[in-house]
Structure formats: C-alpha cells, structure tokens
Amino acid sequence: MYVLSVNLGRPHVADHTGSPTGTGIDKRPAAGPVRVAAPGPKGTAGSGLAGDAVCDRRHHGGNDQAVYSFAREDLDAWETDLGRPLRNGVFGENLTTSGLDVNGARIGERWRIGSGLLLEVCGARVPCRTFAGWLGEKGWLKRFTRRAAPGAYLRVIEPGEIRAGDPVTIVERPDHEVSVSFLFRALTLEPELLSRVLAAGDALAPEARETAVKRSSQGAGRV
C-alpha cells in the first residue's frame, strides 16, 4: 500500500462553481515533498496540504476535510466505464493511492504515511455540482452516488511531509461496521442506516454525526 501521487490544486474560475474565487478541484501531482498539517476549523481554513487551494470554504476544507484520498483502482474502474483516461488527481483527490481499500476503511482508522504523517479517516466525499461540471459526464452525480465508492476524507493527527511513493501503513482499525462506503450510503441513498453510523463514535465528522443524531431522534419519536 502506497501513495502514487500527492496532488495539489490551483484556483481557477469556472461556470460550474458558485464560489466567486473559483475552484481548486483541478489537482495535479506535486513534484516533491508536501507538508501536511491540520488547517483549522471549517469555514475559515482550507486544505491540510501546503500549496493546495480550497476556494469554497463554506462547504470544503477544514480539519475534517484536511485530506481527500481516492484509490487508483477506483479511478481505473471509472476509466473503463467512461471510456476515457483519468489521470491522478482528476477527481480532486489529494492522495491517489495504490493497494489500499479506501472505501472499505473504517471511520476512525488511522494511516501512517511516510516517516511522520498520521491521518485518521473521518468522512466520505459527497459529490457536488462543481464535481459534476468538472467531469462533464451526463448524470454524473447519480452515477457516482450509486457506486458508493466516494473516497475518504481524513483529518491530521500528527503533521508531516509526504511524497509519491511513500508507504501507507494501517496502524489502527476500529472494531465497528462503519466504513467510508457504509457512511456514504447512509448519507445518500440509504438513510435508514444513519442510526448505525453513530457506532463510529468521536471519530465521525461532526456534520455526519449531527445528521445521524437527528435521524435517530426522529426514529425514536415514531416508536
């Protein structure tokens, strides 16, 4: 398991984003090491990767979306389905990985990358209209959602430098069922799963936790 590429975005103006400053979804592999650290709270902070642009900070960035990871194997599957090449970083991911089951990773799972960086899986990427506009594929949001392989958001537990080729080691794996894919399904097409995502505990990103708690309370009220 290792990092194929570390990808950074520069802001550019596009019709498919509501942010006046544009979007940083067009990420390209960095040539050398990249510093990664907790950026700060959502709404004011951007990416956890130095030099990576997050333009719409209302919906993206912050500590619980500090790093976005996507598996090369999943990009390869989409290449086949879409009939077009998909380079590393094209889905807006910071880390393109090889040999790592990103969507099967459990919320709270921790990855050691390289010599110092420690990341914790905390959320699932939910697609937005910027992503749809960027890919330019008809019905993209529905197609991406049905596959339930969204890639993982990670928070920074210990900062460090990473580069392409760094090994990824799973150093902690919680004993619950809430994987990235499970969480994504609960947040999208299978809301009946939401009460079960609370098993992930404090590792769960606050927005997902609030949604799950609200759903659980509503369910309890109907009993």
Side-chain angles (χ1 to χ4, degrees):
M1 300 182 293
Y2 65 98
V3 175
L4 271 177
S5 65
V6 181
N7 313 305
L8 307 176
R10 296 288 184 269
H12 70 276
V13 177
D15 293 336
H16 47 258
T17 179
S19 172
T21 56
T23 173
I25 197 170
D26 182 11
K27 300 195 188 299
R28 306 283 175 147
V34 176
R35 180 72 178 172
V36 184
K42 187 173 183 177
T44 58
S47 174
L49 284 79
D52 181 46
V54 173
C55 298
D56 186 355
R57 298 188 177 184
R58 298 168 302 166
H59 302 114
H60 302 288
N63 289 332
D64 297 309
Q65 295 181 6
V67 180
Y68 175 47
S69 178
F70 204 85
R72 182 63 242 183
E73 293 83 356
D74 290 318
L75 283 175
D76 290 342
W78 279 116
E79 276 193 342
T80 299
D81 286 357
L82 299 178
R84 57 185 269 201
L86 296 171
R87 59 170 173 77
N88 293 348
V90 72
F91 276 18
E93 77 271 16
N94 299 117
L95 306 183
T96 310
T97 63
S98 178
L100 181 63
D101 185 4
V102 173
N103 295 296
R106 295 175 187 171
I107 302 302
E109 185 170 305
R110 291 188 173 188
W111 303 349
R112 178 75 67 182
I113 304 181
S115 60
L117 182 66
L118 183 64
L119 302 177
E120 182 177 80
V121 178
C122 61
R125 187 252 194 94
V126 177
C128 61
R129 74 182 187 95
T130 298
F131 188 27
W134 167 244
L135 263 292
E137 294 285 344
K138 185 176 180 180
W140 177 246
L141 295 183
K142 290 183 178 179
R143 294 175 71 180
F144 188 83
T145 299
R146 283 197 300 266
R147 181 157 296 185
Y153 280 128
L154 303 105
R155 59 172 64 100
V156 180
I157 303 301
E158 297 176 8
E161 280 191 345
I162 55 172
R163 67 179 74 208
D166 276 347
V168 180
T169 303
I170 299 172
V171 297
E172 186 175 329
R173 186 173 172 82
D175 185 20
H176 58 64
E177 67 178 334
V178 189
S179 66
V180 171
S181 180
F182 186 101
L183 174 61
F184 180 80
R185 287 160 49 211
L187 292 172
T188 56
L189 299 180
E190 301 178 57
E192 65 273 13
L193 299 177
L194 275 169
S195 62
R196 291 161 59 184
V197 308
L198 293 173
D202 292 339
L204 191 64
E207 290 180 1
R209 170 176 283 279
E210 289 170 11
T211 300
V213 168
K214 181 178 180 181
R215 170 75 180 195
S216 298
S217 299
Q218 291 173 342
R222 289 194 295 267
V223 175

